[in-house]
Amino acid sequence: MTQNASVPAKGYAAHSSTTPLQPWNFTRRAPRPDDVSIEILYCGVCHSDLHFARDDWGMASYPVIPGHEIVGRVTAVGDDVTQYKVGDLVGVGCMVDSCRHCQACNDGLEQFCLEGFTMTYGSPDKHDGTLTQGGYSDKVVVSERFVVRMPDGIDIKSAAPLLCAGITTYSPLKHYGVKAGHKVGVIGMGGLGHIGVKLAKAMGAEVTIFTRSASKVAEAKSQGADHVVVSTDEAQMASVAGQFDFMLDTVPVKHDINPYLNALKYDGTHILVGLLEPLEPAVEGINLIFKRRVLAGSLIGGMPETQEVLDFCAEHGISCDVEMINIDQINEAWQRMEEGNVKYRFVIDMASLKDTA
């Protein structure tokens, strides 16, 4: 039933770019007729959470509760809701609204909304202007259009990162047509890279992980890769020149993509999903022009595709490798995430929030 009053809530918030996350009591907006009210059970920890809270991208407003990999249980539905009922297990990813009427939205590509999508945290609500708050909290209220269903058989703890890392890697693999017989290189072996390997393998591709460290070869193979190339070894890189149909580049920091372009076949595609900064060093035009290679980028996915990746993972038994933490360990987890000391994604058990002040 639709309510008229705002809802008390609590979570862990950043109050500035330099202070640790702290418990914070706040209010969720009053549910609207098309809203689903959700008790949050688990929330994945994305590197974007840290970047946003520390205002690395210059767009933060405070206080802000991060978290856009949300899995929970429906506690109430608005009068106009038709897809969900109380008790359903559901998910909420990186966006909670869009204009809903532009060409992109009509195509189910809300992430490319021509008026800009509303992020799960730190965005002004399109209806009342209040700032959205994310999943490091006990509850959330979201329009049913931006809610997805947890399919039968999926592990809901490890499913949380699929709502960001999963869809970020699935969407370009699907869009560019990865299929059996293709050779796919995955650059980087973190939260995005490890799930990208699993998805590409399930699509039938032959998958190679590119890592900078020889010490990670065994670990890379344990993720299911067919091959591992140490990208700092010039001889290994030379041996794979012109071999790949696709490169899925998950590295979030500046790096030289020219050697990876050289590893592509003619008509090969290099897809950036991690780097938001300028490319440095410069891309050499000859690496594109002489082989008709494509340098592309990809964001997350629209709502139909986000449901699709969950269903795909349930069907193929794919899950993220996660480390469960309690909410009071979040600042330590962020520090470890900065150091690359996680295999491969933290997920917060939000039941632990009940034990905090």
Side-chain angles (χ1 to χ4, degrees), residues 255-279:
H255 57 288
D256 187 359
I257 71 168
N258 289 290
Y260 302 108
L261 290 174
N262 193 49
L264 289 170
K265 299 176 180 178
Y266 69 86
D267 283 339
T269 304
H270 186 113
I271 311 163
L272 295 170
V273 297
L275 182 65
L276 300 183
E277 302 174 55
L279 291 171

Side-chain angles (χ1 to χ4, degrees), residues 326-344:
N326 292 334
I327 187 63
D328 61 3
Q329 298 172 291
I330 187 59
N331 291 302
E332 176 189 349
W334 275 19
Q335 179 63 38
R336 285 180 54 194
M337 186 168 58
E338 278 193 299
E339 298 167 353
N341 181 22
V342 55
K343 300 289 185 292
Y344 287 91

Side-chain angles (χ1 to χ4, degrees), residues 28-29 32 34-35 67-68 70 92-98 100 110 117-127 131-134 140-147 300 303:
R28 291 287 185 188
R29 61 174 174 76
R32 300 171 185 134
D34 68 331
D35 276 338
H68 57 205
I70 300 167
V92 178
C94 301
M95 54 186 170
V96 293
D97 207 354
S98 66
R100 312 191 195 194
E110 295 91 346
F117 67 84
T118 302
M119 297 186 300
T120 303
Y121 57 83
S123 276
D125 182 275
K126 290 185 179 296
H127 303 274
L131 282 179
T132 56
Q133 301 292 349
V140 69
V141 179
V142 183
S143 166
E144 73 168 332
R145 175 166 177 165
F146 293 87
V147 176
I300 47 174
M303 297 314 301

Side-chain angles (χ1 to χ4, degrees), residues 233-253:
D233 186 321
E234 292 184 6
Q236 289 191 38
M237 290 297 289
S239 72
V240 296
Q243 290 192 11
F244 293 88
D245 299 285
F246 301 96
M247 283 286 183
L248 183 67
D249 189 337
T250 71
V251 178
V253 296

Side-chain angles (χ1 to χ4, degrees), residues 27 47 185 244 252 256 281 288 296 309 329 336 352:
T27 56
H47 216 289
F244 293 88
D256 187 359
L288 298 175
V309 70
Q329 298 172 291
R336 285 180 54 194
S352 62

Side-chain angles (χ1 to χ4, degrees), residues 25 31 165 172 176 276 312 357:
N25 293 318
Y176 288 102
L276 300 183
F312 183 87

